[in-house]
Protein backbone atom coordinates (compact mmCIF):
# COMPACT_ATOMS: atom_id res chain seq x y z
CA UNK A 1 0.00 0.00 0.00
CA UNK A 2 1.20 3.52 -0.76
CA UNK A 3 -1.51 5.25 1.26
CA UNK A 4 -3.50 6.35 -1.79
CA UNK A 5 -6.94 7.51 -0.68
CA UNK A 6 -9.71 5.04 -1.43
CA UNK A 7 -13.15 5.85 -2.81
CA UNK A 8 -15.92 5.18 -0.35
CA UNK A 9 -19.32 6.50 0.70
CA UNK A 10 -19.86 7.42 4.33
CA UNK A 11 -21.02 10.32 6.50
CA UNK A 12 -18.13 12.51 7.63
CA UNK A 13 -18.28 11.27 11.22
CA UNK A 14 -17.63 7.68 10.08
CA UNK A 15 -14.69 8.39 7.79
CA UNK A 16 -11.90 8.06 10.33
CA UNK A 17 -13.46 4.92 11.77
CA UNK A 18 -13.59 2.94 8.54
CA UNK A 19 -10.69 4.37 6.54
CA UNK A 20 -7.97 2.39 8.25
CA UNK A 21 -9.91 -0.87 7.95
CA UNK A 22 -10.67 -0.31 4.27
CA UNK A 23 -7.12 0.67 3.38
CA UNK A 24 -5.85 -2.52 4.98
CA UNK A 25 -8.20 -4.69 2.93
CA UNK A 26 -7.16 -3.89 -0.62
CA UNK A 27 -4.57 -2.31 -2.89
CA UNK A 28 -5.80 1.05 -4.17
CA UNK A 29 -3.46 0.81 -7.16
CA UNK A 30 -5.34 -2.03 -8.85
CA UNK A 31 -8.88 -3.01 -9.78
CA UNK A 32 -10.76 -6.05 -8.55
CA UNK A 33 -13.27 -8.58 -9.80
CA UNK A 34 -16.36 -9.88 -8.05
CA UNK A 35 -14.69 -13.27 -7.54
CA UNK A 36 -12.03 -11.53 -5.43
CA UNK A 37 -14.20 -9.22 -3.33
CA UNK A 38 -16.97 -11.73 -2.61
CA UNK A 39 -14.91 -12.98 0.31
CA UNK A 40 -15.19 -9.55 1.94
CA UNK A 41 -18.97 -9.71 2.03
CA UNK A 42 -19.06 -11.38 5.43
CA UNK A 43 -17.40 -8.48 7.29
CA UNK A 44 -20.76 -6.93 8.30
CA UNK A 45 -20.16 -3.82 6.18
CA UNK A 46 -21.86 -2.88 2.94
CA UNK A 47 -19.54 -3.10 -0.07
CA UNK A 48 -20.15 -2.32 -3.70
CA UNK A 49 -17.80 -2.78 -6.64
CA UNK A 50 -18.05 -0.31 -9.55
CA UNK A 51 -15.69 -0.82 -12.50
CA UNK A 52 -13.32 -2.75 -10.27
CA UNK A 53 -13.15 -0.15 -7.48
CA UNK A 54 -14.42 -1.32 -4.05
CA UNK A 55 -16.70 1.11 -2.21
CA UNK A 56 -17.59 1.08 1.46
CA UNK A 57 -21.14 2.31 2.07
CA UNK A 58 -22.56 3.86 5.21
CA UNK A 59 -25.81 2.87 6.87
CA UNK A 60 -28.80 4.77 5.40
CA UNK A 61 -30.46 7.65 7.26
CA UNK A 62 -33.97 7.56 8.76
CA UNK A 63 -35.66 9.47 5.91
CA UNK A 64 -34.14 7.05 3.41
CA UNK A 65 -35.51 4.08 5.33
CA UNK A 66 -38.97 5.62 5.74
CA UNK A 67 -39.24 5.98 1.97
CA UNK A 68 -37.95 2.45 1.51
CA UNK A 69 -40.61 1.12 3.89
CA UNK A 70 -43.37 2.99 2.06
CA UNK A 71 -42.26 1.65 -1.32
CA UNK A 72 -42.00 -1.84 0.13
CA UNK A 73 -45.64 -1.67 1.22
CA UNK A 74 -46.87 -0.17 -2.07
CA UNK A 75 -45.14 -2.75 -4.23
CA UNK A 76 -45.38 -5.62 -1.78
CA UNK A 77 -49.17 -5.49 -1.46
CA UNK A 78 -49.53 -5.65 -5.24
CA UNK A 79 -47.00 -8.47 -5.67
CA UNK A 80 -48.45 -10.72 -2.97
CA UNK A 81 -49.09 -14.12 -4.52
CA UNK A 82 -47.49 -13.18 -7.85
CA UNK A 83 -44.46 -14.64 -9.56
CA UNK A 84 -42.40 -11.45 -9.34
CA UNK A 85 -40.97 -10.54 -5.96
CA UNK A 86 -39.88 -7.32 -4.28
CA UNK A 87 -36.53 -7.79 -2.58
CA UNK A 88 -34.93 -5.44 -0.08
CA UNK A 89 -31.20 -4.57 -0.32
CA UNK A 90 -29.51 -7.62 -1.75
CA UNK A 91 -26.14 -8.45 -3.25
CA UNK A 92 -26.56 -8.12 -7.02
CA UNK A 93 -23.99 -9.11 -9.62
CA UNK A 94 -25.39 -7.50 -12.75
CA UNK A 95 -23.41 -9.44 -15.31
CA UNK A 96 -21.55 -12.40 -13.90
CA UNK A 97 -18.68 -14.02 -15.70
CA UNK A 98 -14.91 -14.18 -15.72
CA UNK A 99 -13.58 -10.72 -14.94
CA UNK A 100 -16.92 -9.31 -13.76
CA UNK A 101 -16.02 -6.01 -12.08
CA UNK A 102 -19.35 -4.58 -10.92
CA UNK A 103 -21.39 -5.63 -7.93
CA UNK A 104 -24.12 -3.45 -6.38
CA UNK A 105 -26.61 -3.37 -3.51
CA UNK A 106 -29.72 -1.54 -4.79
CA UNK A 107 -32.18 -0.16 -2.25
CA UNK A 108 -35.05 -2.22 -3.71
CA UNK A 109 -35.39 -4.59 -6.65
CA UNK A 110 -38.23 -6.39 -8.37
CA UNK A 111 -37.16 -9.75 -9.73
CA UNK A 112 -39.35 -11.98 -11.89
CA UNK A 113 -36.89 -14.76 -12.73
CA UNK A 114 -36.19 -16.97 -9.75
CA UNK A 115 -33.37 -18.69 -11.62
CA UNK A 116 -31.27 -15.55 -11.15
CA UNK A 117 -31.11 -16.21 -7.40
CA UNK A 118 -28.06 -18.27 -6.47
CA UNK A 119 -26.31 -18.66 -3.14
CA UNK A 120 -28.54 -15.98 -1.60
CA UNK A 121 -27.63 -13.35 -4.19
CA UNK A 122 -28.92 -12.12 -7.55
CA UNK A 123 -26.85 -12.91 -10.62
CA UNK A 124 -28.13 -10.96 -13.61
CA UNK A 125 -30.29 -7.88 -14.14
CA UNK A 126 -33.41 -7.42 -11.98
CA UNK A 127 -36.54 -6.30 -13.84
CA UNK A 128 -36.87 -3.09 -11.82
CA UNK A 129 -34.42 -1.29 -9.54
CA UNK A 130 -35.14 1.55 -7.12
CA UNK A 131 -32.42 3.76 -5.67
CA UNK A 132 -33.24 6.36 -3.01
CA UNK A 133 -30.83 9.28 -3.21
CA UNK A 134 -28.57 10.14 -0.29
CA UNK A 135 -26.02 12.99 -0.27
CA UNK A 136 -23.12 10.55 -0.54
CA UNK A 137 -24.64 8.40 -3.29
CA UNK A 138 -26.55 10.88 -5.45
CA UNK A 139 -23.98 11.29 -8.20
CA UNK A 140 -23.24 7.58 -8.40
CA UNK A 141 -26.93 6.61 -8.55
CA UNK A 142 -27.62 9.17 -11.29
CA UNK A 143 -24.58 8.52 -13.46
CA UNK A 144 -22.48 5.42 -12.82
CA UNK A 145 -25.20 3.07 -11.66
CA UNK A 146 -27.60 4.31 -14.31
CA UNK A 147 -25.09 3.35 -16.98
CA UNK A 148 -24.41 -0.02 -15.39
CA UNK A 149 -28.12 -0.81 -15.15
CA UNK A 150 -28.57 0.17 -18.77
CA UNK A 151 -25.70 -2.07 -19.88
CA UNK A 152 -27.05 -5.00 -17.84
CA UNK A 153 -30.55 -4.80 -19.32
CA UNK A 154 -32.59 -3.51 -16.36
CA UNK A 155 -36.05 -2.75 -17.76
CA UNK A 156 -37.07 0.01 -15.36
CA UNK A 157 -35.02 2.17 -12.99
CA UNK A 158 -36.45 4.56 -10.40
CA UNK A 159 -34.39 7.34 -8.80
CA UNK A 160 -36.21 8.68 -5.75
CA UNK A 161 -35.20 12.23 -4.81
CA UNK A 162 -36.09 12.94 -1.18
CA UNK A 163 -35.03 16.59 -1.27
CA UNK A 164 -37.18 17.55 -4.26
CA UNK A 165 -39.89 14.94 -3.68
CA UNK A 166 -39.65 13.66 -7.24
CA UNK A 167 -39.13 10.28 -8.86
CA UNK A 168 -37.24 9.87 -12.12
CA UNK A 169 -38.35 6.78 -14.01
CA UNK A 170 -35.95 5.47 -16.64
CA UNK A 171 -37.27 2.87 -19.07
CA UNK A 172 -35.25 0.64 -21.36
CA UNK A 173 -36.04 0.85 -25.07
CA UNK A 174 -35.80 -1.74 -27.82
CA UNK A 175 -32.40 -0.37 -28.92
CA UNK A 176 -31.03 -0.66 -25.36
CA UNK A 177 -31.28 3.07 -24.80
CA UNK A 178 -33.28 4.67 -21.98
CA UNK A 179 -36.19 7.13 -21.87
CA UNK A 180 -36.59 9.11 -18.66
CA UNK A 181 -39.55 10.98 -17.14
CA UNK A 182 -39.74 13.01 -13.94
CA UNK A 183 -42.81 12.71 -11.70
CA UNK A 184 -43.89 15.02 -8.88
CA UNK A 185 -46.36 14.76 -6.02
CA UNK A 186 -49.36 15.44 -8.28
CA UNK A 187 -48.51 12.56 -10.59
CA UNK A 188 -48.98 8.81 -10.64
CA UNK A 189 -46.54 6.35 -12.16
CA UNK A 190 -47.67 3.40 -14.23
CA UNK A 191 -45.15 0.66 -13.56
CA UNK A 192 -44.15 -0.48 -17.03
CA UNK A 193 -43.28 -4.08 -16.17
CA UNK A 194 -46.83 -4.72 -14.90
CA UNK A 195 -50.17 -4.24 -16.60
CA UNK A 196 -52.17 -2.72 -13.76
CA UNK A 197 -49.96 -1.16 -11.10
CA UNK A 198 -49.88 2.59 -10.57
CA UNK A 199 -48.05 4.34 -7.75
CA UNK A 200 -49.12 7.81 -6.58
CA UNK A 201 -46.00 9.88 -5.99
CA UNK A 202 -47.70 11.73 -3.14
CA UNK A 203 -48.12 8.43 -1.31
CA UNK A 204 -44.38 7.77 -1.52
CA UNK A 205 -43.60 11.01 0.33
CA UNK A 206 -46.60 11.00 2.69
CA UNK A 207 -44.91 9.77 5.87
CA UNK A 208 -45.28 12.54 8.52
CA UNK A 209 -41.88 11.67 10.01
CA UNK A 210 -40.02 12.77 6.87
CA UNK A 211 -37.91 15.82 7.62
Amino acid sequence: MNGKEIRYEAPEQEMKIIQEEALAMYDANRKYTYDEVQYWLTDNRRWELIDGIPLLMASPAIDHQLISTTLTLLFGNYLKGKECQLILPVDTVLSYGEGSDTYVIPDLVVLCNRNKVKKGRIFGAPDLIIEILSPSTSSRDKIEKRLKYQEAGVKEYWIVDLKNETIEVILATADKDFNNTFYGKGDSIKVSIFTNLEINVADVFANPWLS
Side-chain angles (χ1 to χ4, degrees):
M1 291 294 298
N2 64 0
K4 181 179 177 181
E5 185 176 0
I6 64 166
R7 293 174 62 194
Y8 58 87
E9 300 167 339
E12 184 176 353
Q13 63 268 28
E14 293 188 30
M15 290 182 180
K16 290 183 179 179
I17 298 174
I18 68 174
Q19 186 178 33
E20 184 175 340
E21 294 179 29
L23 283 169
M25 293 188 72
Y26 78 93
D27 183 349
N29 293 311
R30 56 162 293 198
K31 293 187 177 182
Y32 287 79
T33 67
Y34 169 74
D35 285 334
E36 293 172 303
V37 303
Q38 64 174 309
Y39 302 107
W40 305 352
L41 305 181
T42 58
D43 72 348
N44 296 319
R45 291 197 184 276
R46 301 193 330 146
W47 289 90
E48 288 189 322
L49 185 73
I50 306 291
D51 291 329
I53 300 176
L55 304 169
L56 265 175
M57 302 176 67
S59 298
I62 290 292
D63 281 357
H64 180 287
Q65 296 301 76
L66 291 173
I67 293 292
S68 179
T69 299
T70 297
L71 287 165
T72 298
L73 293 172
L74 293 172
F75 275 88
N77 288 335
Y78 173 82
L79 291 172
K80 186 176 181 179
K82 294 182 172 62
E83 179 65 23
C84 298
Q85 295 293 312
L86 179 73
I87 306 173
L88 276 65
V90 63
D91 307 341
T92 303
V93 184
L94 293 171
S95 181
Y96 182 62
E98 185 176 355
S100 178
D101 65 356
T102 297
Y103 154 90
V104 294
I105 308 175
D107 291 318
L108 295 167
V109 305
V110 174
L111 185 68
C112 299
N113 184 351
R114 188 174 182 179
N115 291 329
K116 292 183 179 181
V117 177
K118 301 174 183 178
K119 299 180 180 179
R121 297 172 183 147
I122 294 175
F123 290 84
D127 297 85
L128 184 149
I129 289 178
I130 300 175
E131 298 282 11
I132 303 165
L133 297 183
S134 298
S136 63
T137 65
S138 178
S139 176
R140 181 161 293 108
D141 289 339
K142 291 178 179 179
I143 300 172
E144 293 174 276
K145 283 190 173 181
R146 176 174 175 165
L147 177 60
K148 291 300 177 185
Y149 295 158
Q150 178 180 343
E151 292 174 347
V154 175
K155 297 175 183 176
E156 185 166 349
Y157 176 34
W158 288 27
I159 300 177
V160 180
D161 188 333
L162 283 159
K163 180 179 179 180
N164 296 305
E165 296 187 328
T166 61
I167 299 175
E168 181 182 5
V169 177
I170 306 160
L171 302 178
T173 63
D175 57 0
K176 294 188 178 181
D177 197 1
F178 271 78
N179 290 328
N180 68 306
T181 304
F182 286 88
Y183 296 88
K185 292 180 74 173
D187 301 319
S188 63
I189 303 171
K190 186 180 184 306
V191 182
S192 71
I193 64 172
F194 302 121
T195 58
N196 58 349
L197 175 60
E198 289 194 17
I199 301 292
N200 291 321
V201 176
D203 291 341
V204 176
F205 300 103
N207 194 305
W209 280 30
L210 290 172
S211 58

